[in-house]
Amino acid sequence: MPLSKLVAKLRHIVTTVEDPIACLEQVIEARYAVFRDDPDSGRFLYSLLFGPSVSDVASDVESYRDSLISWTESAVRRLAEADVVARDRIDSCCTACRGLIIVSTLDFIFRDRALGGDLARRQVHDLLRGFGKNAVATGQR
């Protein structure tokens, strides 16, 4: 199943990429690559994730959804451990990452917006300007 490969890839990224910022960039990029490589599978995945859980397939996908969320959260926690993200902002940063991933992939599928190779990098750097520890401490936006 493609989702099991994605979860394995995310696990590998989070456990081997040393730089925490590069780690989050690669986690998000891996999620985008799934949609770029096979948009129809992405549409089907979203119909399962966001549709009613009435089929066995939809139920099977729920555990993968939890793993996708968990590995993204692990990448953000690494940023907090490196003092890049304030520890009290981990949940907000995780939510923002999930929102970026969902909106960007939906825009790709339904609005023909690009999921270019540098999108994840740009988004992470933009996100950290708002969630960065120094920006929070100094009140900068």
Side-chain angles (χ1 to χ4, degrees), residues 2-16:
L3 283 177
S4 61
K5 289 180 183 177
L6 175 58
V7 169
K9 183 170 187 154
L10 297 179
R11 178 184 307 113
H12 177 75
I13 291 167
V14 171
T15 59
T16 63

Side-chain angles (χ1 to χ4, degrees), residues 60-106:
D60 291 344
V61 169
E62 285 185 45
S63 67
Y64 289 107
R65 179 196 64 213
D66 294 342
S67 292
L68 295 174
I69 291 170
S70 175
W71 286 112
T72 302
E73 181 179 305
S74 294
V76 171
R77 288 191 181 285
R78 289 197 49 212
L79 288 170
E81 291 167 7
D83 229 14
V84 174
V85 169
R87 291 183 189 276
D88 64 341
R89 304 291 309 272
I90 291 172
D91 289 340
S92 295
C93 190
C94 288
T95 299
C97 288
R98 288 193 340 260
L100 284 171
I101 292 165
I102 291 169
V103 169
S104 296
T105 53
L106 287 174

Side-chain angles (χ1 to χ4, degrees), residues 43-55 58-59 62 65:
R43 285 183 191 87
F44 181 66
L45 173 62
Y46 273 179
S47 71
L48 293 173
L49 289 173
F50 298 116
S53 298
V54 295
S55 71
S59 297
E62 285 185 45
R65 179 196 64 213

